Amino acid sequence: MSDEDDGGLELTRRELGAAAAGLAGASGLGFLGYRRLQPEEADAEEGPEVAMNPLEEYPNEEWDQKYRDIWEPDDSYMLTCTPNDTHNCYLEASVKNGQITRLGPSMNYGEATDLEGNQSSQRWDPRVCNKGLAMVERFYNERRVKAPMIREGFMQWVDDGFPREDDGSMPEEYAQRGEDDFIEVSHEEAHEYAARTFLELAQQYSGESGMQSLLEQGYDERVVEETQGAGVRTMKFRGGMPLLGVIKLFGQYRNANSMALLDNYVRDVSEDEALGAMGLDNYSFHTDLPPGHTMVTGQQTVDFDLASIEYADHIVLDGINFLTSKMADCHWLTEAKLKGSKVTGIFTDYNATASKCDELITVRPATDSALFLGAAREIMEAELYDEEYVRKHTDLPLLVRMDDNELLRASDVFADYEPADLEKTDAVADDADRPGVDVTDIDEQVITEELRREWGDFVVRNDESGEFEPVTRDDVGDDFDVPATIEGEFEVELADGSIVAVRTVFDLIKEHLTETWDLESTAEVTGTDPQAVKNLAQDFADNQQSTMLLTGMGPNHYANADQHGRAAFLLASLTRNVGYQTGNVGSYSGNYRMAYFNGVGQYANEDPFDPELDPDEPASTDKRWDAHSAHFYTNLDKPLKVDGEYFQGDSHMHTPTKSIWVSGSNSILGNAKGAYKIIEKALRTGNIEAFFTNEWWWSMTCEYSDIVFPADSWAEHHVHDITASVTNPFITTMPETEIDRIYNTLNDTQHYKGVARKLAELTGDDRFEDYWAFIDEEEYRAKPYIQRILDNSNAVKGYDVEDLLSDAREGTPAIIMTRTYPKHVGNEQTQDDQPWYTKTGRLEFFREEEEFAEAGEHIPLHREPMDATPYEPNVIVDDSDSPVVAPETPDDRDWDSQEKARDTNDRQVRNEVRSPSELVDTSHPLTDVDDGYDYVYMTPKYRHGTHTFGADLEEMAVWWSNFGDQGRKTERDSFDKRKPFVGEGYVEMNPEDGREEGLQDGDYVWVDADPSDRPFPGYDPDDEETEYTRALMRVRFQPSLPRGVTRSWMNVSQTSHKSYEAQQERDDGKAQSEDTNYVSMYRSGGHQSMTSTWLRRTWLTDTLPRKDMFGQNMDVGFEPDVHAANGAPKESFVKIEKAEDGGVNEDGEPGGNWRPVDEGVRPTQEDDRMEQYLQGGYTSESD
Amino acid sequence: MAEVYNWQIGREMEYPYPEARPERQWGAVFDLNKCIACQTCSLSCKTTWTNNEGQEHMFWNNVETKPYGSYPLGWDQEILDRLGVQEWGSDGVYDGDTIFEVRDFDWESMAMDDDPDTMHSEGIEGYIPEDEDWAQPNLGEDEPAGEAVESDTHIEEDHHPTWFFYLPRVCNHCTFAACAGGCPVQAIYKRQEDGIVLLDEESCQSFQECVRACPYGKSIYNPVEMNSQKCVGCYPKVEQGLVPQCFENCLGKIRMHGWVNQPEQADPSAPVDYLVHEAEVALPLYPQLGLEPNVYYIPPINVPTDYLYQMFGPGVEEAQETYRKARRGDEEYRKLRGVIQLMGSTEWRIEEFEVTEEEAIGYDKDGHTVARVPMEEPKYERDRFDDQHNAYRLDIT
């Protein structure tokens, strides 16, 4: 490359490029060490020649047509992005040559209106996020489920005629989920295999013989009894967070309802007696239900649109990492700040959201309940509470009998007391007289006369007259103006002449708080600065009706979640911060409020024996399906039982799980808490005989399924659908796609219809198929179903589906018609003086039910986590002599208390009491097993995925903090081949903790939880067959964490059999299955290797009054997504041990440090240059 | 020749070419108090422009956590270290060396032509990152500096003793672009109509001097196409009056795009000029490097000023104080609150804005309203019973 050769450069450009690409660590020299030449010909007087000044001209601009061509689409259309993040965005798809090339926001949210012409604003735009944009990659990727797939072993089992063992179970050799090949079949074949299976299961498990078979297989007798002898009751159906697509996802419950036709065919029962199948819950299965909300308010959850925070002077973010999980609504937060709102964060560490807070309070994980109790104590003692609100809206002034720890009844005190006629409550004679859920013209709460009698009316003391007065659930809000005594202990003469001591609920709570939760004790238990507790109390007291308390999945994912909720409500109620547009409590976790569409009964509960085939007529409803908590399925179908005694209510009893058909959910298996337990102990044993999944992306759930039905992606809606949101006021309807199908897929509902068609053939009952008459691609596209739902739902009645779709095509949603815009829960109670859905009609802090008495939980208190604590798990913290903190203890039961503490099942019903100072002297039983057990392990959600949606796209995966590397794809020389994928999972650890364990930042580590049941019960570390379940991942030194707290993000896809094998066998070492293309972002196991199912007595009562999921009916006991087992994903206490060095040496073997450590840029091990940089030491100001 | 006036450093400065400014200059303000590191901006650019083979490591837009994040790895530590400790005068004039000056290069002695033998870029301080330096765009995400976090950490101070913040970065379309100044074949230029700096991919000859010279790491080599590539300022959109992809898609609503002028020509009714020259809350990124970058940042109010001074120069403390005053609700800052709330609300470029008691309004160049946002989202209340539709409009249904 001579410098005399004029054309030299043009000729050798390719070589130049190739060599330049290979240059590493080039110094500041130009290529090949070209140096400046002194142009001898430069004229010193005129200055050097400037051939062209690129700052002011350029002769070759035509090249730039390239980017204009890339930009201009041929066409565009609107689609919807609806994972379980709650936001629901219209995205505009740009189309070129029939393919979507990119997505973007519709920028039309400012055009949204309601039926009255009220309009939203452009402050809502843009609605979009990183996952939504990356989704363009998901439509075309090799990971799509491209055709129906059947697992080879399952197909064999069906073809062999469903052979069974002696006890009737599925032989294990047919159950090799995770290992078998998948066989591609046609839709019709897939539907037929499913139909034949359902018929088989219904037959096999019906009648006495069916129940006998189940007993022989080892299922608990109550669980078997619950099938009522109907095989369809062993069949479970679930649409994953069904509000996200009412037609396609809640359609699984319609599916379950239609199985009454199958039961009718199989058993000798009349059409009226036939039972539908079981539906599994969602909100409560995800552990997103805040069970304390039901206990305090009697209904699902109190919340508000996140835009509302700007109306408050004080915004408190408790365990909600707003910046990473509520991204679309962050601007409301930052703009509220700009306009003067104070933001307080209560977190376990200096997380993303902490960086936006004015005040940051750090708490030990799961002790937020104690923090709130400590703050409540401050308020009660200093009398900073709002007396009027307390009197009118809470049960705090109600009197409790101290002889039996139950609320004093008016009938106890007043002779011949007749329960008052209630205007706000309708007591019907019988359950059969209750209104349906799909009625819009009632606003009374409906109970039975029996419940009315049982609940009775209550008593307060008139503080002015000293008299006792009855109070009904109608007497709330401004309809209650008795100056009721708030604090005090009295004696009452009962109607029968006896004298009984009574105390107000307030009095009982105050005693416990005063004696237990002084500032120092609160600080000791929570690890917090005492000043923070004072500040919190003062801020609540100073901002009455002006504080928004937002609680997130952090505190909700522990077993003490309900106590957390009760304590949060206590603090907020004392300061008039419940139920107002400017002051309220909100729990944020998933998009659950299916009740916005209470008319869904028209769809899911349509009478399968009499489907309405006139699209303009409403359906007649007859609900045949029932629900139970999916936590029992993850608990291997075992009830909560200790030493032969049941600790769950009858209404919560589940049935054996012989089949599951799920749509749109990876959380049911692939990312379930205790996923490996389900895989090893329920699926690969053959206990579960059929697992069918509808998916458009080959997830880990698909890896372990028997039939994978290929679903249309969100770019390919051929059937319409609708959704709403708990965090924004918009109704989002799905318009039709404008591209051809990419693969051989169908809408979920078309799969239900296809299976129904086969069932119709097998049984001769056409009603199976008629049931799905309005599912097609040409004419109806589900619109009649949608319109029926709209017509019968309080919040959307009046909307026409065609109008909604017309706006949807512009990317404009409609506005939901609840009481206000933005919406919030509590108007009825604070503005209209309606009762809450509790026995007393008030916010309830006293629970008189026996399950609560037994657990010692009459009043709000703090219990230690079930596993995630350095201290003794699950103990009640109390230092008072309170008569209402009196649990049934192991002593009372003659149990070995220490043994029960060690056992992860039995511990759940072990009630011991410790004072704060006693507590901090205790230790977790695992510390006796191995002194490495030292770390609480949390699994929250992050910004690079929505659950597992999107997290494993290459362009997302590279953003997973420190361990992204596109070299995994480009196979760059210096690449670490151990890396499972472009991004990988990791555990975050305080750097000092890490060093104490002998770790270096970036090393690979093993993470192990309780060996007795994780990664699954019976796990043997020496068994090679199951070593894929043990968690191996990078450790990341994260100085935001205090000591003793560790964390992995739960969005990351986990190890399957095939991904594990692929790592060993593929040349490139990628954790990608050769046949299914499934990718794991862990080398082994995953975060769910450390999690499990957890249950609590107080979630499983038969007595808790609550509103049904839909409509105004109230009842007691189990209700899916309202009062049900709730799980506790973050309950995990682990040890972390080094597996391998983070770096690779020249031989490509593990050795040395992960590169950034050696570059000197890592926190706590910075080199001098980095230190200087951190101090701002490269610039100074002269004087 | 080659003395230009750089107003950000308050003095004349060495540069390979004579001073020349475009008719209009593409500019931006990012409010770092609003950035949430959601990376929607990064994905919008990636999925629009850089999702081809050879571009896997390429992010024209990235968001890095400061101080422990950097993409490419260590880019700002590296250039600051190469410059050494430098001083600002108390009069706001930069007394130290820029990247065009630190090598003490005699620009006068060289012909500024497109003959690569001349290699005029040698006078510019810079370095070429290693391949692995591009591998982890999000290294350091959410990692704080400062005091260790303890179980009783309780922060109430204005400046968090434990802190991090997010820094979204794009090409700054610098007035004195080092890439343009350094390209040995003069394949990088500024458009006259909007000041966008473009790299002519057809004329690029893979010297990677732009990669070396750009201190911000925003010229990136594509080993498959065998040319370097850089942010194109979304000129196909800008030509239509639209804002760039990373601005439209910014979910945090932190970005304002518009024309930026020198101080003497500043138009306070234009949003970028207002924020930079009138409110003076928006500051350039590492102005001491000397490129007169045209992306300005409102510094985060919770971060200590020592670090921020190094990054944004003098004016940091005043900018933080102004933002705090705006928070306090002073009438004087209503316009500032309004324009910050206007950010992100429209896909169209705002050339003029106004703020009333109730609203902030943005107009395009023809005076059409393209954005109208209320200062407080309106509240509507409906009747409990909607008799037209026979429905109780309940919240709990």
Side-chain angles (χ1 to χ4, degrees), chain A residues 423-441:
Chain A
E423 284 176 18
K424 303 171 186 174
T425 312
D426 191 8
V428 299
D430 202 78
D431 281 331
D433 299 309
R434 288 176 176 278
V437 305
D438 52 351
V439 295
T440 62
D441 57 2

Side-chain angles (χ1 to χ4, degrees), chain A residues 9 36 58 64 66-67 119 121 125 339 356 358 362 595 794 818 821 828 961 1036 1107 1166 1173, chain B residues 35 68 76 110 112 116 141 143 153 200-201 235 253 307 327 375 377 380 382 393 395 397:
Chain A
L9 281 165
R36 171 180 60 80
Y58 193 71
D64 70 5
K66 169 182 177 180
Y67 286 102
Q119 189 171 344
S121 80
D125 290 304
K339 290 176 294 192
K356 302 297 191 213
D358 294 306
T362 320
N794 294 75
T818 56
Y821 165 95
E828 278 111 61
S961 297
R1036 181 244 195 126
K1107 188 184 87 72
E1166 302 86 343
Y1173 166 79
Chain B
C35 182
Y68 287 104
D76 50 344
M110 170 182 274
M112 296 308 296
E141 182 181 28
E143 287 170 8
T153 288
D200 173 357
E201 295 177 21
Y235 64 86
K253 304 186 63 152
Y307 180 83
R327 283 192 76 187
M375 290 312 296
E377 187 67 7
Y380 307 125
R382 304 181 181 95
R393 300 301 190 186
D395 299 309
T397 49

Side-chain angles (χ1 to χ4, degrees), chain B residues 45-76:
Chain B
C45 178
K46 190 87 171 107
T47 57
T48 304
W49 306 121
T50 62
N51 53 358
N52 305 298
E53 249 192 279
Q55 298 180 316
E56 292 83 1
H57 59 299
M58 196 180 287
F59 291 95
W60 294 346
N61 179 106
N62 74 294
V63 184
E64 52 203 64
T65 301
K66 293 318 244 186
Y68 287 104
S70 50
Y71 165 80
L73 196 153
W75 67 272
D76 50 344

Side-chain angles (χ1 to χ4, degrees), chain B residues 92-152:
Chain B
V93 174
Y94 180 57
D95 290 336
D97 286 327
T98 67
I99 63 171
F100 307 108
E101 295 163 334
V102 73
R103 286 193 173 182
D104 224 1
F105 188 75
D106 182 3
W107 294 102
E108 317 260 313
S109 64
M110 170 182 274
M112 296 308 296
D113 58 19
D114 61 358
D115 179 349
D117 287 358
T118 320
M119 202 47 73
H120 44 78
S121 56
E122 197 190 308
I124 305 176
E125 181 57 65
Y127 80 108
I128 294 191
E130 300 188 35
D131 287 352
E132 293 96 328
D133 290 343
W134 302 101
Q136 293 136 325
N138 220 359
L139 178 74
E141 182 181 28
D142 286 359
E143 287 170 8
E147 287 175 17
V149 173
E150 314 271 352
S151 73
D152 63 354

Side-chain angles (χ1 to χ4, degrees), chain A residues 821-848:
Chain A
Y821 165 95
K823 60 173 151 58
H824 70 276
V825 170
N827 279 301
E828 278 111 61
Q829 289 72 30
T830 56
Q831 308 305 315
D832 299 336
D833 307 314
Q834 294 296 303
W836 287 99
Y837 294 81
T838 52
K839 211 180 296 183
T840 62
R842 293 156 173 265
L843 296 165
E844 283 186 3
F845 296 100
F846 186 81
R847 300 245 59 80
E848 60 178 5

